[in-house]
């Protein structure tokens, strides 16, 4: 994008209505072409050029990696605003990320395992949902258990007991876990 395009997006430059429509289209076209250019950067840019990009003199180019975070953020926003195709935002993003990693690997390597436990939302709602799940005796996934333990969601009132061969906690009478529907 040009400096004028950046100034317009950040609100430092105002345009007339007709000019604004043309500017927005030009920005979209430049973004689209820029995203398409990543194919050439991935496939054809020499290793020595990449090495020079990621180093600022002999140091890591922190600004470049901060900008790369913005690239990932933009890709996530694209996934969130894509037309409904039966694929969730998370699944589309996870697929793009995995495929991108595979394209970026040297031909000697391959992705052996790919796990991305993507969780986002309002922290208070997530905490309440997780605590409700625990109170109701629901099963927790490993990421949920990790989140609960790391954020101190459990206090001394929660007891974790090893299970017997029957799948019940040790020293628990099976009759104690029956509901009134079981009688």
């Amino acid at each position: 994008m040009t400096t004028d395009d950046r100034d317009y997006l950040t609100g430092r430059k105002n345009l007339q209505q007709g000019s604004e429509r043309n500017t927005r289209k030009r920005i979209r076209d430049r973004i689209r072409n820029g995203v398409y250019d990543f194919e050439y950067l991935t496939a054809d840019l020499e290793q020595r050029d990449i090495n020079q990009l990621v180093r600022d003199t002999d140091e890591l180019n922190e600004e470049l990696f901060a900008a790369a975070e913005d690239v990932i953020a933009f890709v996530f926003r694209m996934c969130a605003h894509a037309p409904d195709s039966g694929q969730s935002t998370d699944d589309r993003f996870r697929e793009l990320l995995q495929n991108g990693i595979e394209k970026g690997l040297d031909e000697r390597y391959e992705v052996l395992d790919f796990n991305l436990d993507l969780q986002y939302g309002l922290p208070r709602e997530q905490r309440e949902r997780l605590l409700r799940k625990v109170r109701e005796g629901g099963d927790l996934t490993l990421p949920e258990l990790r989140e609960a333990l790391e954020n101190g969601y459990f206090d001394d009132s929660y007891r974790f007991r090893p299970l017997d061969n029957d799948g019940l906690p040790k020293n628990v009478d099976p009759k104690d876990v029956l509901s009134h529907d079981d009688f």
Side-chain angles (χ1 to χ4, degrees), residues 77-103:
R77 285 185 69 191
M78 286 179 13
C79 292
H81 291 87
D84 186 21
S85 66
Q87 193 175 28
S88 71
T89 298
D90 297 357
D91 289 339
R92 182 182 303 274
F93 181 72
R94 195 175 287 113
E95 182 180 316
L96 287 174
L97 198 56
Q98 181 177 359
N99 292 342
I101 290 169
E102 287 175 354
K103 286 180 181 180

Side-chain angles (χ1 to χ4, degrees), residues 124-140:
R124 183 174 56 231
E125 289 178 7
Q126 171 68 4
R127 180 178 188 271
E128 291 305 316
R129 185 190 64 74
L130 195 60
L131 288 174
R132 185 173 45 255
K133 198 172 179 181
V134 169
R135 281 192 303 270
E136 294 171 358
D139 292 333
L140 297 179

